[in-house]
Every structure is written in C-alpha cells, then in structure tokens.
Amino acid sequence: MPGGLKVHPCGKYMIFAIGNKLSVMNIQSDRQEFLSGHTNTISAFDVSPTGAFLASGQISHMGFRSYVILWDWTTRKEKARHDLHRVRVESVRFTGTERFLVSLGGVDCGMIIVWDVEKGTAICGASAARETTGAALRLETLRMRGDAFVSGGQRTLRLWTIDSEARKLRAFDVAVGKLRRDYTAARVDDDDETMLVGTMTGDVVKIKLNLSDDPEKPTCPTLLGCYARHKPARKTPGLDCSRYSNGVRELWLLGEGKILIGAGDGVVDLVEERKVSFRNYNNPTWPQYRSLRRTQVNGPISSFQRLDSDTMLIGTEACEIYSLTLGSFELKLLKTCHTGPVYDIAFPYNLSDVFATASFESLRIWSLRRMQELLRIVVPNFTASGVVFSRDGKSLLSAWNDGALRAFTPLTGRLAFAIPNAHNKGCSAIAAASTGGLIVSGGLEGQVRVWSVARTPTLLGVLKEHTAAVTSVDFNCFDTEVVSASRDGSCIIWDIINFSRKHVLLANTQFSCANYLPSGIQILATGSDRRITYWDVFDASLVRDVEGSAKGAINSLSFASVGDFFASGGSDQLVRFWDYNMGLPVALGRGHAAEVFVVQCSPCGQFLVSGSADGGVFVWNVPDTLRTISTPTSTVGTNDGAKLKPRGRIVPRENVNQLEGKTNGKKKLQISECPPIEGRKSSGSSKSSKSSKSSKDKRN
C-alpha cells in the first residue's frame, strides 16, 4: 500500500501490514509482534509523531462498514475504533500534535472523518473532494500546525483546517491554474511554508501553503511551479526536461535543499533545485531538478522512511524492503516476500536448511537458518501451483497454470527441461518418486499423468477418472502407488506400474489434500467439510474421522518425520499440530493474517513452514516434547535408483545441499528469469523429439 512501511520514532522497530494484522518487527533481532483486531485486509496505517499511538484502517466487502482502529503502542492493545467509513479506508494520518486522527474513505465513501484521540470521539467530517473532480486518495499532515492537513488525489488538492470548537472542517483548494494532475505523495517542510506533491504525470508540484494564524482570515495556497529532472545533454528548451516513468510515487525531504524521489519504475533519485529562472518556457513542467545520485530497485516505490542520519528504508510494491546508504548510495535488500498467495512449499530430501515456495510468477528458495531468500526463479505472468525437489537434490520440479512442467537447477535457477502442454487446462499438482526418474502431475481437467524424466521427458500414461481439478498427488514409500485428491469428492489410489485404478475413497466433500503415511499403510485426507479422515490403503475403508477445524476448510496436511505427528492449515488462519494416534491437536499456531493454503514439516521435525493467501511465509518452532527422532538432516540423501538426467547443458555439481554454503549473507540475491518454452501440438504425445531438439538448440 502507499506509505505501507513505517519506522517507529524510537528507531528500533519497523511496522508494516500483513493481511489483516500489523507486524511490529525489531530491526536488530528480527523478532515480530502482531496486532490483531481487523476483520479484513488492512489498507492504510500511520504512526503518531511521538510514537505513542498507531492507527490503521481496513477494506470491507461492498456495502459494509470499514473499521479504523487506534492502538496504544506501550500495551500493544486496541484503544478505540470507529466504523464511520464504507467499504474502504484509503488513508489515516495523525496531526502534528497527536490530538486528532484524520481518516479518508475510499471512492464508495468519499468522506474525511476527524477523530479526537483524547476524548475518543469523532468531532466532524466532510466530503473529501468536489463533484467536479476525482476522488481523494492520500492525506498529509503539517509538522507544526496540529489543526491542518492536506488531501490529494485525482485532479484534487486541498488544504484543510480543523475547528474543534465549532466541530467543523474548512477546505481551501490549491490554486493550480490550468494544471491537471493526479496527485500521489506529499511532503511538507519543517516550517509548514511549502509543500512538494508528486504526480502520476512524473513531475513534482511545489505549493506555497500561505496558512493563516487567524481562523477567520481565508487561506489561499498557490502554485509555485511544476518541476522535473534536467537533462543536460538536451539543449533545446522543452526537450531538456525528463519526467519520471509511471509517476512520482514517494518523496522525502532530506534537508539542505536535497530531495529523494521514488518513481513508479523503481528509480530512486537524489536531486536538488537548480538556481535558474524560466520565462516563456514552452512546457508546463520545468527542468528545475539536478540529479545528484541515482539507483533503481525492483518494483514501484511505495514508501520512504528515515532510519538514521545516513540510512533510508525503501518499501516497494513488489513486497521488498531495501536499505539505502545516503553517503555511498548503496542498496541492500533487507526483506522480501511473495506478491501473491503461496500455493506450495517443499523441503529437499533429508535437508532442513533450505525450502522452496511456489507463488505468482516465481519460485523462491529460502534459508531457514537466516530467514533470507537465496534464489528467485521468475516466470512472468504465470502462477506456480506446485513445487518439489528431486530426491537427489539436483533439480527443482514445478507445475504451472499454463499447463507446463518446468525443472530448474537449484543453485543458478537455470531451466533444465520443460514439458509444455503437460495438461490442457493447467497443472495443479506435482510429485516426484524416490527413484528420481519418475514424476506424476495432476491437472485442472481432472487427469493424472505419469512422466519419465530420466533422460528425455516422456509421457508414460494418462489416468482418467476424476471429473474435477486434481488438488494433490502423493507417492507411497515404495513408489508403486499414487493417491490423487480431487474436488469431485473422491481420492483415487492408482497402481502406476500397471496404470490402473486400485481403490476409490469417497466422501461428501471437496478434497484438498491426501497424503500417505510414511509407512504407506494409511492415507490421511481432508477437504472442505473441515474433517480429517484416516483411510486404510489395503481395502480403502474409513478408519477414523476427526474434526479438523471449528470453522473453515482444511487446505493442507503434512507429516512430521516418521508420522507420529502431522500439521494442518486451513481457512481459519490457524496452523495445528496433531498427534496422529490420538487424533487430537497438541499445539496451535496463531499469526497468519489470511487463509493458510499450505503447511509443510521439515525433515528434521523441528520446524513447520506455512504459506497463506496474503503472501506471508511463516516458520514455526515445534515444541521439544513433540519432536520425534529422525534421520540426520545435514546432507542430501543419496539415491540408489535411477538418477534424474534432464535435457540441456547442466552443471553436474549443482546440488541443493551446496546452496546454503555458496550464498553467504553479504552476497546479493540471485534472480533467474525463465526463458519462454515452445508448446507442442499434441499435449499427450510421447514422441516429441523434433520439438525437444528445436527447443534445445534455441537454449544452446
């Protein structure tokens, strides 16, 4: 969100929103606290100038009221709330004296509400914009005046004063003449004399506030100029002015006339005003700014925050937080996360140091020990629905919604091989056998397909029984059977040696997950009916049926170590840890701010990793009393079966167990972009030598 990253005035905490919770993170120790109270996604929040209070607003469903919550910083508890806005809260800001909290409603509301923090009541409200202009989207308060603030948005820019005794708001439109802009971020100088406002046109508007001390005397803010960056190489007037691409999204006044500008294309520009005058200039935007230093980050800029005298924190719409050293202008990536829901999580065999996550446009490998991203594999415009490591650790296999199966190297993220058109309507699940040369995929059309990838990817068989999307596939410990779960209310046990159906598990639910017990004698399944069911593999009989959640579907299951315990995650935003034999939850994890889509236990049994719809990845510690003895997890286990030998030129030394040692904390994040793959005319054909040869030549 705009302004979605804040630093507490004490300088020890970063504050940002994750779903419907506010995360308070200690900058030095990385320990997090969560403020819970909102019923839906948080859309705006602010920190008071002294740090005594927090305020946050949320999004609600169409036709419903949206909450604005006032938090006490010391106790981390809710102090007050109101629901005077409809559908969405666009912005909340504290005034300079912390007496008032100003909140701005969205397009469906359009109201500005002023809340008295001391009395805990709303004192006044007004329509944010005129009917002849667009909606107001941002608020900015003054530094010294505690009764004034500014609103900006689509062709509207207004200065407001609060009359608390008369319980009234007075609005003064900024005189900008014929200038028409959509205004974004605004910054007021320390003396409340001038204000800089960014625009989506890519320039910066400078306003003189002319704020009067007499409430009866009218105030008339005026335009001083519209500025952009100067290009010295262009001498022709009108062509020596360079606007910022995708708009000016954020501003910060550094003092001594220097300004930090963040653009929509990720450019961070340090500028200062030139001492020149423009007369009869044939462009409404003047080349007033001289660029001093310049760098670029990933994604549009959403936030600037001052950490100390020489360090700025930068937040982006790509869910990344950077630190910028002003002296050397050096960037460092501090925090990163997925921009969309996390659909799958995978650990390598017998290795708990790293894990992989699948989400929109990317696969990411993370360090569990350092809680940092090590490798990012980008596939533009597509979503990864499943991810799994090969048993030998030399490949990262993934399923995508474009119908392709892709395999990548775990160190460099290069494309090892791809199977285009593996499923007609998109791939929804993937599993790899312990032999390394066999994978099974599930599709949205309901088919389960078996592939050999030992040398050249080859289709071995198509299993057609499901009538709806396949949600999960899983091998048994002997690699002789596969269980597939589907939203048609059935789980099917397949014999992948003879490519035939063995048993069908039926229930009045939409199955979301079905996993074999590590010993292979039972199957654990769950779905939309909130039940967790135990099934016997021998005769497909129901052994046990327990309630997995009081409300909301269960989306994912994962066994810990030898199978004495398992974890579950669901739509109630909770992660549960169960005793398999008793069928009872023994531990409960609260922290997710959205629906939990996937949960995965580490091979060592000490950790749980869960992913949710808000893009959050949570790592949980399993209590010592609930851990079981497992095999050593320091190295990747060897494989006596067939090795995975995909097509293409692959470095034979690449193995996932080298990833943690190769990438140290000082090395930059490695990002690999997947090249486009060529589709085949027949998706189910195993004879693809011609297509394989052409795609191989293209990569080489």
Side-chain angles (χ1 to χ4, degrees):
M1 68 185 74
L5 172 66
K6 303 290 184 184
V7 174
H8 194 267
C10 69
K12 297 181 180 180
Y13 298 94
M14 284 192 304
I15 306 167
F16 49 88
I18 298 180
N20 59 12
K21 292 181 173 65
L22 281 178
S23 172
V24 180
M25 175 179 286
N26 190 303
I27 297 176
Q28 296 181 351
S29 64
D30 281 348
R31 292 185 63 86
Q32 286 180 277
E33 302 174 68
F34 298 97
L35 306 184
S36 304
H38 285 283
T39 59
N40 209 328
T41 305
I42 295 175
S43 57
F45 76 96
D46 191 29
V47 183
S48 63
T50 63
F53 303 103
L54 299 178
S56 55
Q58 72 173 52
I59 303 172
S60 293
H61 298 289
M62 186 63 66
F64 289 86
R65 296 281 180 174
S66 295
Y67 288 110
V68 174
I69 300 180
L70 179 67
W71 308 86
D72 184 85
W73 171 257
T74 305
T75 61
R76 307 290 203 273
K77 301 294 183 181
E78 178 183 329
K79 183 178 180 181
R81 72 165 61 196
H82 71 78
D83 58 351
L84 301 177
H85 294 290
R86 296 190 302 271
V87 183
R88 182 186 178 98
V89 178
E90 285 287 352
S91 182
V92 291
R93 292 303 302 268
F94 286 95
T95 56
T97 58
E98 291 188 2
R99 180 183 175 185
F100 302 113
L101 173 64
V102 185
S103 57
L104 170 64
V107 177
D108 299 287
C109 177
M111 294 292 292
I112 290 178
I113 303 296
V114 179
W115 180 271
D116 193 311
V117 175
E118 297 177 357
K119 298 179 180 179
T121 58
I123 61 173
C124 58
S127 179
R130 296 181 181 273
E131 295 181 356
T132 56
T133 64
L137 302 176
R138 297 285 291 270
L139 294 175
E140 177 65 21
T141 55
L142 276 63
R143 303 294 183 89
M144 301 177 65
R145 289 285 296 266
D147 60 347
F149 62 94
V150 177
S151 66
Q154 301 169 351
R155 303 179 306 281
T156 176
L157 188 62
R158 311 179 86 181
L159 174 65
W160 301 78
T161 58
I162 305 171
D163 190 346
S164 58
E165 296 182 358
R167 303 174 69 91
K168 186 177 181 181
L169 278 174
R170 295 186 175 90
F172 307 95
D173 292 309
V174 178
V176 295
K178 296 182 179 180
L179 197 68
R180 295 294 179 267
R181 294 288 189 270
D182 289 345
Y183 301 100
T184 54
R187 294 292 173 191
V188 181
D189 64 1
D190 295 335
D191 300 328
D192 292 346
E193 295 288 339
T194 60
M195 176 178 65
L196 297 181
V197 188
T199 70
M200 287 301 296
T201 311
D203 45 26
V204 178
V205 175
K206 188 174 183 180
I207 305 295
K208 187 173 180 59
L209 294 177
N210 296 326
L211 195 60
S212 175
D213 294 331
D214 186 3
E216 301 297 332
K217 186 177 180 181
T219 300
C220 184
T222 56
L223 174 69
L224 294 180
C226 186
Y227 305 150
R229 187 170 61 90
H230 174 61
K231 293 194 297 185
R234 297 291 185 93
K235 303 297 183 181
T236 306
L239 299 179
D240 58 347
C241 183
S242 175
R243 296 187 180 97
Y244 294 94
S245 299
N246 297 328
V248 175
R249 303 298 182 89
E250 193 60 77
L251 295 166
W252 194 269
L253 306 181
L254 296 175
E256 300 179 354
K258 295 182 180 179
I259 307 166
L260 198 63
I261 297 177
D265 59 351
V267 169
V268 180
D269 202 4
L270 179 63
V271 301
E272 65 178 1
E273 286 194 26
R274 301 165 59 208
K275 296 180 180 180
V276 294
S277 60
F278 296 92
R279 294 183 179 179
N280 300 324
Y281 193 76
N282 58 354
N283 194 331
T285 304
W286 299 343
Q288 188 72 37
Y289 290 142
R290 177 189 295 109
S291 180
L292 303 177
R293 306 293 291 270
R294 192 179 179 91
T295 186
Q296 189 165 8
V297 299
N298 180 31
I301 307 295
S302 63
S303 306
F304 280 151
Q305 285 290 290
R306 192 75 175 259
L307 185 60
D308 53 46
S309 60
D310 194 43
T311 307
M312 292 289 299
L313 294 183
I314 302 173
T316 72
E317 292 184 10
C319 296
E320 294 178 344
I321 300 175
Y322 296 84
S323 67
L324 176 66
T325 303
L326 297 176
S328 60
F329 229 65
E330 180 181 354
L331 275 175
K332 181 182 178 182
L333 180 62
L334 297 180
K335 302 292 177 185
T336 181
C337 194
H338 286 288
T339 59
V342 179
Y343 293 108
D344 201 8
I345 297 173
F347 278 92
Y349 176 70
N350 270 0
L351 181 66
S352 299
D353 292 338
V354 297
F355 63 92
T357 56
S359 183
F360 175 65
E361 287 190 338
S362 67
L363 297 174
R364 307 192 186 197
I365 299 180
W366 307 79
S367 169
L368 188 65
R369 177 171 54 87
R370 298 200 309 267
M371 305 297 178
Q372 290 181 354
E373 184 181 2
L374 302 179
L375 175 66
R376 184 185 308 172
I377 302 170
V378 179
V379 183
N381 303 322
F382 295 121
T383 300
S385 55
V387 63
V388 64
F389 284 94
S390 62
R391 177 62 72 95
D392 57 10
K394 295 182 179 179
S395 291
L396 182 64
L397 307 168
S398 57
W400 297 79
N401 67 340
D402 63 341
L405 300 176
R406 294 177 173 88
F408 302 93
T409 56
L411 297 187
T412 59
R414 292 185 296 134
L415 181 66
F417 69 89
I419 306 177
N421 303 322
H423 289 271
N424 297 331
K425 297 182 180 180
C427 301
S428 56
I430 188 172
S434 60
T435 57
L438 199 67
I439 62 174
V440 170
S441 62
L444 295 175
E445 78 283 356
Q447 294 183 6
V448 177
R449 298 191 174 189
V450 184
W451 307 84
S452 172
V453 292
R455 290 179 176 84
T456 300
T458 305
L459 178 63
L460 299 181
V462 179
L463 307 174
K464 301 179 181 179
E465 288 287 345
H466 292 296
T467 59
V470 176
T471 54
S472 75
V473 289
D474 188 36
F475 277 94
N476 68 348
C477 58
F478 308 106
D479 292 339
T480 58
E481 296 177 355
V482 169
V483 59
S484 60
S486 174
R487 298 194 181 278
D488 61 2
S490 68
C491 292
I492 300 179
I493 302 175
W494 306 94
D495 182 349
I496 60 171
I497 297 177
N498 301 316
F499 298 105
S500 61
R501 186 190 71 187
K502 294 187 67 174
H503 299 291
V504 180
L505 317 178
L506 296 175
N508 188 20
T509 182
Q510 294 182 354
F511 282 107
S512 59
C513 184
N515 289 344
Y516 276 101
L517 193 70
S519 62
I521 61 174
Q522 287 186 352
I523 290 174
L524 202 64
T526 187
S528 59
D529 61 349
R530 302 179 286 107
R531 312 295 294 183
I532 298 177
T533 53
Y534 298 52
W535 302 83
D536 189 86
V537 174
F538 179 74
D539 56 359
S541 60
L542 181 63
V543 178
R544 176 183 286 175
D545 184 1
V546 299
E547 185 179 18
S549 172
K551 57 179 181 179
I554 303 296
N555 299 322
S556 179
L557 298 171
S558 177
F559 281 102
S561 188
V562 296
D564 292 337
F565 300 95
F566 68 92
S568 68
S571 301
D572 56 359
Q573 305 176 11
L574 300 176
V575 175
R576 292 178 173 87
F577 199 64
W578 299 75
D579 186 295
Y580 182 81
N581 296 320
M582 294 189 299
L584 297 174
V586 292
L588 185 65
R590 300 178 182 270
H592 277 288
E595 181 179 3
V596 180
F597 281 157
V598 60
V599 61
Q600 188 69 36
C601 298
S602 66
C604 65
Q606 299 179 11
F607 306 100
L608 298 178
V609 181
S610 56
S612 56
D614 58 359
V617 178
F618 281 60
V619 179
W620 310 83
N621 283 316
V622 177
D624 294 336
T625 56
L626 303 180
R627 298 177 185 175
T628 56
I629 300 176
S630 60
T631 56
T633 59
S634 58
T635 58
V636 173
T638 58
N639 175 24
D640 297 331
K643 301 292 183 180
L644 181 62
K645 298 179 180 179
R647 298 181 300 162
R649 296 183 300 175
I650 302 176
V651 181
R653 293 188 300 272
E654 286 202 27
N655 200 305
V656 68
N657 63 349
Q658 306 167 2
L659 187 60
E660 178 70 12
K662 180 179 178 181
T663 307
N664 53 44
K666 297 181 180 179
K667 189 173 181 179
K668 292 184 179 179
L669 166 69
Q670 185 170 355
I671 300 178
S672 174
E673 185 166 348
C674 176
I677 60 176
E678 296 181 359
R680 293 178 296 187
K681 294 183 180 179
S682 59
S683 61
S685 176
S686 61
K687 298 180 180 179
S688 57
S689 59
K690 184 176 180 181
S691 174
S692 303
K693 183 178 180 181
S694 61
S695 60
K696 179 179 179 181
D697 294 340
K698 184 176 181 181
R699 289 197 305 270
N700 294 340

